[in-house]
């Protein structure tokens, strides 16, 4: 994924013909992508037109029955809107939580920068599943948060922080933050302290300088981070399943259920294609935003 | 030629009476980083409408002084007064300053007109007036047609002028320029020098100009404050700084100079190795001094013995070790024994009378013999 910046390079230099050597170097990853990504997606696409015969049975066919079933069922349509709505909310919260961190690291002295970056990224060393279990311990009815608040006398009944949407949002925001911080930092290239100084010398108070100068200059990073986190949020199913306690129904969790529990692969494939379409829309929106910024 | 040398008098430097009130006053201004002193107890008063250069090599504290004046760096001690108002503890956005950065710092996501309008918007100027004043400011820097462009679509010199327009459109109390010309090529720099000076005169705005380029400081400014290692070492008109530098460091930094080390033998007489040189003013007998003479103040005589010794001139015999043709001047490096002195002569069409290996005689006025007690 490329990072869009306010590039000074004229368009001509960007569209140079690909040299044979460069093409040769791209070949291995192209092969891996073809085998590991394109072929399975094609297979998935084909699967979505097959016919489920109940009890996990499957018949080769070309039918739109699965798509029809998906569109006709209000439950599935609600899954789509809820998945998109929640992922947008999670993305926004992740952005708000990550922006100050990214800005702080960007402005840190060089010798601190790499250390701070490593610290920020280190949660990625622990799998999302393990971190989700951690959040269950922290947020549970007898967990750390409720325990502290109860013993402090702030609350008498435990707060419902897991097995609902709140838990899913908290868990996913934390899991996605490293990706957001990295994307933001990648897009902060053109952010120079003198822009803020110039704004302040012209009479802008710090908040105004931030809003009118810093935020617009970091929009490429914001767009990239939001795209990445939105896609990851829509497609995540383990965290919603565990922290949602089976009560938060999303597209991704439903795909899991259809594919693994109910064994209706054609419907699961159909829903996967729907998710892919949502990704496609997100990518279009991102491209629009980036073009607007340039 | 002889007479002109003998008759040269000490340049009279009477402090010119300037009735203008002080507009920017720095009082005991200081900046310390832990133990390092970046700026030490600096006192400077800039008069209303005056154009002052802060001149010095990199790391001398000139930029820190400007940044403290702008409020971008807090002062460790001292006071900053702008137009009678103590701004020492005010943030930059309350100081009413116009600031031009070395890299211009034009907002890349705004058009030229939006950049210039920014400060007016911050001051809540009515929309209708903003358009008018932006147009005026862009016309002032001869960029009236460029309002809708993006900064990156402009050349370095044009960006520079936009930065100037953006700083001036808010009609600030003082204008601060931080090395504004150092990113431009030589020819453009010369043009911008004149342009900035013109605009500054026309608007009569009190201006502090940070530069490491002595030519800029000499040609543009009313007065120059020379800084060295965090201290203001001399404040004076370009004439005073160039003709009567107070330290060898200044003589060396502002313009070029020949250096010879010697000892004062008696009042007005300095011993440089086997040579004896005269100067108008000398410290106490026995003091180790550095002598400095500007290359273009030295006359070079092709035939030794042709110049008559005189009490008001210095006369040295030497051998030309190198000649350099620089187009408008010829530079001669002449070995005089204790050192090599460089002499400059304007070139003329026709054959050059002096070549390498020639024995020549150097002559200059005692007035041009600058004597210093510091040896940087």
């Amino acid at each position: 994924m490329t990072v869009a910046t306010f590039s000074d390079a004229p368009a001509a230099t960007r569209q140079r013909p690909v040299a044979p050597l460069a093409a040769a170097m791209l070949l291995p990853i192209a092969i891996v992508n073809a085998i590991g990504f394109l072929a399975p997606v094609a297979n998935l696409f084909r699967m979505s037109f097959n016919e489920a015969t109940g009890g996990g049975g499957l018949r080769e066919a070309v039918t739109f029955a699965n798509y029809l079933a998906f569109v006709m069922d209000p439950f599935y349509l609600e899954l789509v809107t809820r998945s998109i709505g929640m992922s947008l909310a999670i993305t926004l919260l992740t952005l708000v939580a990550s922006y100050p961190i990214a800005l702080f690291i960007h402005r840190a002295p060089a010798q601190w920068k790499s250390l701070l970056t490593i610290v920020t990224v280190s949660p990625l060393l622990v799998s999302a599943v393990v971190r989700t279990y951690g959040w269950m311990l922290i947020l549970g009815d007898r967990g750390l948060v409720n325990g502290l608040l109860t013993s402090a006398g702030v609350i008498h009944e435990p707060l419902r922080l897991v097995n609902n949407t709140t838990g899913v949002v908290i868990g996913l925001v934390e899991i996605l933050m490293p990706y957001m911080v990295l994307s933001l930092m990648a897009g902060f290239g053109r952010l120079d302290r003198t822009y803020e100084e110039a704004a302040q010398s012209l009479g802008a108070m710090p908040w105004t300088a931030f809003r009118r100068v810093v935020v617009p200059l970091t929009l490429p990073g914001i767009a990239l981070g939001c795209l990445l986190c939105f896609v990851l949020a829509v497609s995540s199913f383990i965290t919603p399943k565990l922290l949602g306690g089976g009560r938060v129904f999303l597209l991704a969790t439903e795909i899991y259920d259809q594919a693994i529990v109910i064994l209706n692969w054609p419907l699961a494939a159909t829903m996967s294609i729907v998710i892919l379409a949502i990704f496609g829309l997100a990518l279009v929106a991102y491209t629009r935003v980036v073009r607007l910024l340039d | 030629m002889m007479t002109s040398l003998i008759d040269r008098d000490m340049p009279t430097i009477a402090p010119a009476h300037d009735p203008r009130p002080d507009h920017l006053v720095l009082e005991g201004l200081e900046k310390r980083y832990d133990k390092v002193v970046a700026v030490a107890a600096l006192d400077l008063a800039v008069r209303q409408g005056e154009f002052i250069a802060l001149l010095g090599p990199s790391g001398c504290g000139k930029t820190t002084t400007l940044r403290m004046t702008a409020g971008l760096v807090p002062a460790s001690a001292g006071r900053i007064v702008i137009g009678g108002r103590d701004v020492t503890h005010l943030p930059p956005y309350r100081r009413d300053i116009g600031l031009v950065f070395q890299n211009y710092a034009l907002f890349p996501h705004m058009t030229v007109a939006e950049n210039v309008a920014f400060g007016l918007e911050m001051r809540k100027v009515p929309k209708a007036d903003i358009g008018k004043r932006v147009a005026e400011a862009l016309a002032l820097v001869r960029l009236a047609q460029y309002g809708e462009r993006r900064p990156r679509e402009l050349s370095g010199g044009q960006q520079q002028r936009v930065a100037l327009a953006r700083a001036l459109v808010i009609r600030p109390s003082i204008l601060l320029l931080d090395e504004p010309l150092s990113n431009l090529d030589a020819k453009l720099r010369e043009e911008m020098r004149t342009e900035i000076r013109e605009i500054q005169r026309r608007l009569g705005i009190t201006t502090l100009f940070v530069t490491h380029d002595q030519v800029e400081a000499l040609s543009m400014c009313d007065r120059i404050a020379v800084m060295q290692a965090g201290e203001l070492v001399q404040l004076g008109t370009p004439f005073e700084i160039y003709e009567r530098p107070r330290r060898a460091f200044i003589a060396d930094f502002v313009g070029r100079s020949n250096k010879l080390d010697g000892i004062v033998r008696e009042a007005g007489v300095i011993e440089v190795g086997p040579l004896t040189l005269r100067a108008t003013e000398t410290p106490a007998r026995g003091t180790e001094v550095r002598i400095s003479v500007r290359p273009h103040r030295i006359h070079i005589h092709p035939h030794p013995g042709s110049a008559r010794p005189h009490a008001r001139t210095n006369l040295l015999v030497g051998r030309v070790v190198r000649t350099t043709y620089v187009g408008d001047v010829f530079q001669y490096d002449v070995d005089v024994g204790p050192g090599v002195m460089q002499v400059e002569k304007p070139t003329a069409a026709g054959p050059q009378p002096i070549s390498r290996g020639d024995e020549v005689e150097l002559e200059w006025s005692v007035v041009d013999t600058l004597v210093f007690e510091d040896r940087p």
Side-chain angles (χ1 to χ4, degrees):
Chain A
M1 200 169 298
T2 54
V3 180
T5 53
F6 292 101
S7 170
D8 289 285
T13 59
R14 269 183 257 145
Q15 289 167 352
R16 252 180 306 193
V18 183
L21 180 67
M25 284 162 75
L26 282 174
L27 197 62
I29 190 69
I31 292 170
V32 169
N33 247 323
I35 297 171
F37 179 70
L38 289 180
V41 168
N43 190 30
L44 201 67
F45 191 67
R46 176 69 193 88
M47 177 67 77
S48 68
F49 294 102
N50 282 339
E51 203 182 313
T53 55
L58 180 68
R59 193 165 57 222
E60 290 281 327
V62 181
T63 169
F64 287 91
N66 302 308
Y67 287 93
L68 217 61
F70 185 87
V71 177
M72 297 306 280
D73 193 333
F75 171 72
Y76 290 138
L77 291 184
E78 205 191 313
L79 280 187
V80 173
T81 49
R82 193 185 303 134
S83 284
I84 292 177
M86 241 179 95
S87 299
L88 285 176
I90 288 166
T91 303
L92 197 68
L93 286 171
T94 311
L95 174 67
V96 171
S98 309
Y99 198 94
I101 299 174
L103 201 58
F104 181 80
I105 297 177
H106 179 75
R107 286 173 179 172
Q111 67 266 32
W112 285 100
K113 232 177 199 166
S114 21
L115 182 71
L116 287 170
T117 309
I118 291 167
V119 168
T120 310
V121 177
S122 59
L124 294 179
L125 297 174
V126 181
S127 93
V129 181
V130 175
R131 280 196 283 159
T132 302
Y133 275 111
W135 276 113
M136 289 168 78
L137 289 177
I138 294 170
L139 300 175
D141 284 357
R142 288 147 186 265
L144 195 66
V145 174
N146 277 317
L148 278 175
L149 289 177
T150 311
S151 61
V154 181
I155 53 168
H156 301 291
E157 289 283 298
L159 295 173
R160 301 257 163 251
L161 296 175
V162 278
N163 301 334
N164 56 18
T165 320
T166 314
V168 176
V169 170
I170 292 174
L172 271 181
V173 165
E174 188 270 334
I175 284 167
L176 294 178
M177 273 175 69
Y179 300 103
M180 182 63 94
V181 172
L182 284 182
S183 308
L184 288 174
M185 282 170 61
F188 281 5
R190 287 290 292 270
L191 185 62
D192 190 318
R193 206 65 199 255
T194 52
Y195 291 131
E196 279 168 88
E197 293 179 347
Q200 291 206 15
S201 79
L202 291 166
M205 308 231 276
W207 171 246
T208 313
F210 177 76
R211 197 170 49 81
R212 293 282 311 269
V213 176
V214 177
V215 171
L217 286 176
T218 56
L219 273 180
I222 293 174
L224 176 64
C226 286
L227 172 72
L228 194 62
C229 287
F230 177 78
V231 165
L232 288 172
V234 168
S235 58
S236 68
F237 66 94
I238 298 176
T239 305
K241 248 195 133 45
L242 293 177
L243 282 170
R247 272 172 235 157
V248 178
F249 297 99
L250 296 171
L251 255 185
T253 57
E254 190 59 24
I255 293 172
Y256 178 85
D257 284 342
Q258 289 292 341
I260 307 296
V261 182
I262 303 171
L263 295 178
N264 186 345
W265 283 21
L267 187 58
T270 302
M271 286 192 271
S272 301
I273 297 298
V274 170
I275 280 199
L276 270 179
I278 294 172
F279 290 172
L281 287 178
L283 203 60
V284 168
Y286 169 77
T287 319
R288 281 272 174 86
V289 168
V290 167
R291 201 169 300 157
L292 212 71
L293 293 178
D294 222 15
Chain B
M1 190 171 280
M2 273 300 288
T3 20
S4 75
L5 272 188
I6 295 164
D7 291 346
R8 268 191 63 115
D9 277 321
M10 276 285 285
T12 44
I13 301 170
H17 179 69
D18 196 328
R20 294 176 294 184
D22 290 342
H23 187 67
L24 166 67
V25 181
L26 309 179
E27 244 176 53
L29 197 61
E30 212 165 286
K31 183 67 200 174
R32 288 182 305 268
Y33 296 100
D34 291 327
K35 291 273 176 288
V36 184
V37 179
V39 176
L42 185 126
D43 290 300
L44 180 66
V46 186
R47 298 185 194 106
Q48 176 76 52
E50 199 178 17
F51 195 170
I52 281 211
L54 283 178
L55 176 68
S58 60
C60 72
K62 57 188 191 302
T63 296
T64 308
T65 303
L66 178 116
R67 290 175 66 81
M68 281 194 283
T69 310
L72 299 173
V73 173
S76 305
R79 254 161 46 98
I80 301 163
V81 180
I82 300 175
R85 191 167 65 118
D86 187 335
V87 300
T88 316
H89 302 292
L90 291 182
Y93 48 91
R94 298 242 158 79
R95 289 199 180 188
D96 195 20
I97 49 167
L99 185 50
V100 175
F101 292 84
Q102 182 171 4
N103 64 357
Y104 321 134
L106 297 176
F107 306 131
H109 58 293
M110 299 183 194
T111 64
V112 166
E114 284 166 354
N115 264 281
V116 178
F118 188 86
L120 297 174
E121 284 170 30
M122 294 302 117
R123 281 164 170 71
K124 306 267 188 297
V125 173
K127 271 250 152 57
D129 295 348
I130 288 181
K132 215 175 114 244
R133 281 172 67 175
V134 167
E136 279 170 14
L138 286 176
L140 181 73
V141 296
R142 297 184 291 117
L143 286 174
Q145 309 303 315
Y146 291 79
E148 293 315 307
R149 302 267 189 104
R150 295 268 166 179
R152 62 167 172 223
E153 294 166 339
L154 303 184
S155 70
Q158 289 169 335
Q159 291 186 30
Q160 223 295 307
R161 300 202 316 252
V162 175
L164 196 61
R166 186 176 70 172
L168 288 171
V169 75
I170 55 176
R171 294 171 192 157
S173 185
I174 54 167
L175 179 63
L176 303 173
L177 306 170
D178 184 10
E179 305 249 9
L181 305 179
S182 56
N183 283 354
L184 303 177
D185 58 64
K187 193 143 181 71
L188 205 54
R189 201 165 1 183
E190 219 162 293
E191 281 174 32
M192 282 307 295
R193 247 186 247 154
T194 325
E195 186 152 353
I196 290 179
R197 179 65 191 165
E198 288 270 297
I199 290 171
Q200 190 273 338
R201 280 226 179 102
R202 204 173 335 150
L203 302 180
I205 186 168
T206 311
T207 305
L208 197 59
F209 172 62
V210 161
T211 181
H212 65 270
D213 184 332
Q214 37 113 0
V215 182
E216 280 174 15
L218 290 170
S219 63
M220 291 169 74
C221 298
D222 297 319
R223 285 193 295 164
I224 298 171
V226 185
M227 291 187 70
Q228 178 191 13
E231 277 179 73
L232 199 165
V233 286
Q234 190 172 0
L235 173 66
T237 61
F239 184 78
E240 287 164 2
I241 298 290
Y242 191 80
E243 294 296 339
R244 292 290 131 191
R246 217 171 276 160
R247 293 189 184 188
F249 160 78
I250 301 169
D252 201 30
F253 189 73
V254 182
R256 286 168 315 106
S257 60
N258 289 296
K259 286 159 283 190
L260 293 172
D261 289 343
I263 295 172
V264 179
R265 204 174 60 192
E266 57 187 82
V269 180
I270 297 153
E271 216 172 61
V272 181
L275 311 171
T276 304
L277 296 176
R278 294 192 186 87
T280 47
E281 282 167 30
T282 49
R285 186 138 39 112
T287 314
E288 294 195 344
V289 292
R290 167 158 295 179
I291 293 169
S292 167
V293 192
R294 304 278 186 205
H296 64 276
R297 293 283 165 82
I298 303 173
H299 289 281
I300 184 162
H301 301 283
H303 309 292
S306 62
R308 221 156 30 89
H310 193 282
R312 298 189 69 173
T313 61
N314 282 308
L315 214 50
L316 286 183
V317 175
R319 189 172 294 279
V320 177
V321 290
R322 189 194 321 189
T323 67
T324 313
Y325 179 70
V326 202
D328 48 354
V329 290
F330 235 108
Q331 291 173 347
Y332 301 102
D333 291 2
V334 181
D335 188 350
V336 294
V340 174
M341 297 188 78
Q342 194 170 72
V343 184
E344 273 179 9
K345 255 179 99 90
T347 49
Q352 285 299 321
I354 300 161
S355 46
R356 202 159 71 91
D358 285 358
E359 190 154 278
V360 293
E361 201 160 35
L362 305 182
E363 185 185 27
W364 69 89
S365 166
V366 287
V367 176
D368 290 323
T369 315
L370 306 174
V371 182
F372 305 102
E373 289 184 61
D374 66 316
R375 290 175 174 177

